[in-house]
Amino acid sequence: MSWFTNTFKTSIGKKLIMAVTGLSFICFLMAHLAGNLTLYGGENAFNSYVERLHTFGPVITLIELGLLFLIIMHILIGSVLFYQNILARPIKYKVYKSAGGRSLGSATMPYSGFIILAFIIFHLINFHFADKTNNTIFQIVAEAFANPLYIVIYIAAMIVLAIHISHAFWSLFQTIGVNHPKYMPLIRIAGIVISLIFGVGFGFLPVYVSLI
Amino acid sequence: MTSTTDKKNINLTLKIWRQNGPDNNGFETYYADDISTDMSFLEMIDVINERLTLEGKDPVAFDHDCREGICGTCGTMINGRAHGPEKGTTLCQLHMRHFADGDTLVIEPWRSRAFKIIKDLVVDRSPLDKIIQAGGYISVNAGKAPDANAIPIPQETAETAMDAAACIGCGACVASCPNASAMLFVGAKISHLALLPQGKPEAMIRVMAMVNEMDRQCFGNCTNHRECEAECPKEISITNIARLNREFIKSGLF
Ligand code: SF4
Ligand code: FES
């Protein structure tokens, strides 16, 4: 066990956990988005997708628990790194200027992270833990997005998510050591494309649901 | 500010961090009048210090040695940029022609928990030395000098190692990093040794030892802002940090 703790207590070890857990969230979001696209097929398509999903029963529960564990790791370790980084420069510069390295995404990682956490809790309360005895999941979704405030919150959260992933994607490759001038430009473009797909793909759903 | 002026001499306002002891510190304003644009930044401070000395005041302490951009001793922040606003330049190689008449320059020491301020603009960068002592070396059996070219090294590998070895240990990467991380420095040192056959035998022990020492010295954690790469006077690339991460993974997990 000692090699394990020795590896993961280091700065790079912690970052590796951030990278791998982050990658698993991106994979999850891809599946989540693919499933949600059935909303465009209308009420029946969406309800039958959700029903089918639930036929997997214990597998789904297992994946949920796994995700919960990964999220907790990502939050806890991310918080430790954030805190250590604040401590690493106790006296701030009077004047500090970027030399062009930072991006909106990289400069806001911890903050966008915490906003996404708040959103996930809100989102789970809305739909995951909603009372489904008398309503189909589509009805719950349609009801929620009848409220313009919900639409605004969901779109804002998806913009924050897109900003987070715009830095996270290439950054995780760098952390696991995958950076070469040959393919890094491609990874960076893929990161932008994926954050746009998530931002637009998830962000447009509430608008669409409120219109039908 | 990078505009070149035709006028030979310029007047500047300097706000310099003065520190003599933990509580005795703050910014002082100095007027640098009639500064030749042919001077280097350090020569400009020399002139200010001469004037201060003549006035019977304490000159500004700053670190410098070679003044040729090769030793890594100099370095301060100028208006929030490590080694000033020019790309790939150490402070001693920065010339006053890059500043305009009437500019105000805020001059601060490298700031990080690891680098304690000794006086004014001079910081203690020995934490970087500690990281080198932890593993930034190779062990050889001394004796007769080996034949030149006895160990074949591909040209491309030699070039990549040489690029990493260009690091002069100035600490600008730490200073410019929003997290005060030393990953570019460590990445450069790990890379230049790990790429070459002479560095291979100790590679796995080295990377663990150096990363542990880096953490022990309280440097921050890299979050891939890439400010270091943009500010490094030797233009060391963050691909060296990726190589450090690879070496770490090999050592820590395999
Ligand atoms: S990596 Fe560049 S900025 Fe950092 S210590 Fe070496 S030369 Fe200086
Ligand atoms: S004094 Fe040697 S690099 Fe500037």
Side-chain angles (χ1 to χ4, degrees):
Chain A
M1 206 57 189
S2 84
W3 67 268
F4 187 83
T5 44
N6 280 344
T7 299
F8 290 108
K9 73 167 200 281
T10 62
S11 144
I12 301 181
K14 280 181 274 200
K15 282 159 43 61
L16 283 173
I17 296 177
M18 294 304 281
V20 172
T21 51
L23 182 61
S24 67
F25 303 149
I26 290 175
C27 296
F28 164 74
L29 284 178
M30 283 177 180
H32 189 8
L33 181 61
N36 281 9
L37 290 182
T38 56
L39 269 170
Y40 290 114
E43 181 163 356
N44 291 336
F46 185 60
N47 279 336
S48 61
Y49 151 69
V50 175
E51 241 167 68
R52 249 194 88 80
L53 197 62
H54 286 154
T55 57
F56 291 100
V59 180
I60 295 294
T61 316
L62 211 66
I63 292 177
E64 280 174 353
L65 287 177
L67 272 173
L68 181 68
F69 174 71
L70 295 180
I71 287 178
I72 291 172
M73 297 258 282
H74 197 78
I75 295 166
L76 288 184
I77 294 173
S79 304
V80 170
L81 292 170
F82 179 45
Y83 179 63
Q84 285 179 332
N85 286 350
I86 293 174
L87 292 187
R89 178 165 293 132
I91 302 171
K92 303 275 169 268
Y93 288 113
K94 183 173 168 187
V95 182
Y96 178 82
K97 262 198 217 103
S98 166
R102 303 179 91 172
S103 64
L104 174 65
S106 84
T108 55
M109 275 322 251
Y111 314 107
S112 54
F114 287 125
I115 293 173
I116 294 166
L117 170 63
F119 170 76
I120 292 174
I121 295 171
F122 176 75
H123 178 56
L124 289 179
I125 294 171
N126 284 170
F127 300 137
H128 191 84
F129 298 115
D131 179 13
K132 300 184 188 88
T133 39
N134 300 317
N135 294 316
T136 65
I137 185 71
F138 184 85
Q139 282 167 332
I140 297 171
V141 171
E143 208 176 290
F145 292 138
N147 183 348
L149 183 66
Y150 272 59
I151 300 182
V152 171
I153 293 176
Y154 270 75
I155 292 179
M158 288 312 105
I159 294 173
V160 174
L161 176 76
I163 293 173
H164 195 78
I165 294 179
S166 71
H167 178 67
F169 191 76
W170 83 265
S171 183
L172 83 87
F173 282 96
Q174 164 79 0
T175 300
I176 57 177
V178 181
N179 180 353
H180 194 283
K182 266 190 285 192
Y183 47 70
M184 195 30 118
L186 214 69
I187 294 179
R188 297 190 68 102
I189 293 170
I192 303 291
V193 171
I194 288 177
S195 41
L196 281 177
I197 291 176
F198 285 160
V200 176
F202 283 117
F204 192 69
L205 282 172
V207 181
Y208 179 76
V209 171
S210 72
L211 290 179
I212 54 174
Chain B
M1 202 164 63
T2 48
S3 69
T4 41
T5 45
D6 292 324
K7 226 175 101 197
K8 266 311 224 176
N9 287 7
I10 54 173
N11 300 321
L12 301 166
T13 306
L14 309 178
K15 293 187 190 305
I16 305 182
W17 180 263
R18 302 300 308 263
Q19 178 160 348
N20 200 356
D23 303 318
N24 178 6
N25 61 50
F27 282 96
E28 291 279 347
T29 305
Y30 300 96
Y31 297 99
D33 296 334
D34 209 22
I35 297 296
S36 160
T37 50
D38 292 334
M39 281 182 197
S40 75
F41 197 86
L42 299 189
E43 283 165 337
M44 187 273 294
I45 302 185
D46 288 336
V47 169
I48 301 299
N49 277 346
E50 242 166 50
R51 293 178 191 171
L52 283 176
T53 313
L54 286 175
E55 287 167 26
K57 291 186 187 139
D58 194 20
V60 178
F62 65 99
D63 239 349
H64 60 106
D65 189 16
C66 70
R67 297 208 179 193
E68 290 180 343
I70 52 171
C71 74
T73 312
C74 64
T76 64
M77 301 296 275
I78 302 170
N79 284 350
R81 297 282 307 273
H83 291 297
E86 286 297 295
K87 225 182 135 41
T89 312
T90 55
L91 193 62
C92 55
Q93 292 291 294
L94 175 68
H95 284 82
M96 297 313 292
R97 57 177 169 272
H98 298 296
F99 298 95
D101 192 29
D103 276 352
T104 298
L105 308 182
V106 178
I107 305 170
E108 275 180 274
W110 293 164
R111 293 205 187 278
S112 87
R113 184 172 167 204
F115 295 162
K116 300 276 178 294
I117 294 181
I118 297 172
K119 194 180 175 195
D120 300 340
L121 303 171
V122 181
V123 298
D124 175 9
R125 281 168 303 147
S126 64
L128 296 183
D129 301 336
K130 297 263 168 51
I131 297 174
I132 295 293
Q133 282 161 14
Y137 52 80
I138 58 160
S139 307
V140 285
N141 289 322
K144 207 160 87 25
D147 281 349
N149 299 325
I151 309 168
I153 300 165
Q155 170 73 8
E156 206 184 318
T157 311
E159 291 290 350
T160 315
M162 193 57 217
D163 285 347
C167 168
I168 51 177
C170 64
C173 42
V174 178
S176 61
C177 174
N179 309 317
S181 161
M183 285 282 279
L184 192 63
F185 170 78
V186 179
K189 298 304 170 194
I190 286 291
S191 289
H192 108 246
L193 295 174
L195 280 162
L196 299 175
Q198 294 89 335
K200 294 262 196 285
E202 286 153 309
M204 294 300 99
I205 310 167
R206 174 184 308 120
V207 64
M208 269 299 158
M210 288 178 78
V211 167
N212 278 321
E213 190 58 37
M214 174 182 86
D215 291 347
R216 203 170 302 128
Q217 296 295 334
C218 297
F219 288 104
N221 306 293
C222 173
T223 58
N224 302 325
H225 282 297
R226 297 179 301 152
E227 287 294 331
C228 53
E229 175 183 69
E231 287 292 35
C232 171
K234 298 297 149 188
E235 302 184 289
I236 307 276
S237 156
I238 59 162
T239 49
N240 290 296
I241 298 182
R243 188 175 295 101
L244 161 61
N245 291 338
R246 289 201 290 280
E247 290 290 312
F248 180 87
I249 293 170
K250 272 191 262 170
S251 169
L253 299 181
F254 299 104

